[in-house]
Amino acid sequence: MKVSDFISPEEEKEVVEAIKQAELNTSGEIRVHIEHTCEGDRFNHALEVFEQLEMHKTKLSNGVLIYVSIDDHQLVIIGDKGINDVVPKGFWGSTKDKIINQFKKENYKQGLIDGILEAGNQLKTHFPYQSDDIDELDNEISKGKS
Ligand code: CA
Ligand code: CA
């Protein structure tokens, strides 16, 4: 599958909008990375992507990466240290469920949107939106090699 079959440029804009909306709930910063296949251990690889995207560069260490590989169907959610320090285990369960529910029906765009909004809601309690918020991490979807 081409990345553009997974998500069209038009749909991408809606996903970016969802990120903007979610980031009005929380100081957390959400990014999405899409690529074809996940090399090696999915958690280690998603962590590498997190680092490559310099997602640790947030004031409160509260960046969140939603990593998706479309050919081998991997989904990993990586939250930075600031989040892991304060949330219970299984914190991302509801976000993952929302994404997978839609992905199963091949509603990829909707899965990402639902997951992003859920992540924003989940983060709100621990990391409320600050009135002096800055957009610390780009909202555009990042993509791996095609
Ligand atoms: Ca922000
Ligand atoms: Ca952002």
Side-chain angles (χ1 to χ4, degrees):
M1 198 195 304
K2 287 189 202 156
V3 173
S4 59
D5 293 330
F6 181 80
I7 188 157
S8 70
E10 279 306 307
E11 292 172 327
E12 261 190 56
K13 285 183 196 153
E14 291 181 55
V15 172
V16 171
E17 273 310 308
I19 294 175
K20 282 186 197 158
Q21 212 183 313
E23 291 183 0
L24 290 175
N25 264 332
T26 176
S27 62
E29 291 280 335
I30 302 165
R31 291 209 66 171
V32 175
H33 181 85
I34 299 171
E35 63 187 8
H36 281 278
T37 50
C38 178
E39 287 165 31
D41 177 81
R42 62 193 171 126
F43 287 102
N44 287 338
H45 180 66
L47 268 176
E48 273 169 27
V49 172
F50 190 97
E51 278 162 26
Q52 277 160 17
L53 293 174
E54 302 194 318
M55 288 188 61
H56 52 277
K57 290 188 175 169
T58 57
K59 201 171 145 209
L60 299 173
S61 298
N62 58 359
V64 181
L65 173 65
I66 299 176
Y67 170 93
V68 180
S69 65
I70 58 181
D71 292 341
D72 53 359
H73 305 109
Q74 299 293 331
L75 167 68
V76 183
I77 301 179
I78 301 278
D80 205 357
K81 203 168 85 46
I83 300 172
N84 292 336
D85 285 349
V86 296
V87 304
K89 224 177 162 216
F91 179 73
W92 299 116
S94 60
T95 301
K96 274 185 197 153
D97 288 347
K98 295 226 173 211
I99 297 173
I100 291 166
N101 277 344
Q102 295 294 340
F103 277 16
K104 274 184 185 158
K105 295 183 254 178
E106 298 182 10
N107 297 331
Y108 302 118
K109 175 202 78 179
Q110 200 55 48
L112 291 173
I113 290 175
D114 290 357
I116 288 160
L117 297 179
E118 176 67 12
N121 273 328
Q122 292 294 315
L123 285 168
K124 183 161 67 173
T125 326
H126 304 280
F127 299 97
Y129 181 77
Q130 308 286 324
S131 57
D132 59 348
D133 180 77
I134 44 170
D135 188 21
E136 294 173 290
L137 301 177
D138 196 345
N139 301 331
E140 295 297 321
I141 294 177
S142 139
K143 293 181 199 125
K145 288 168 273 181
S146 52

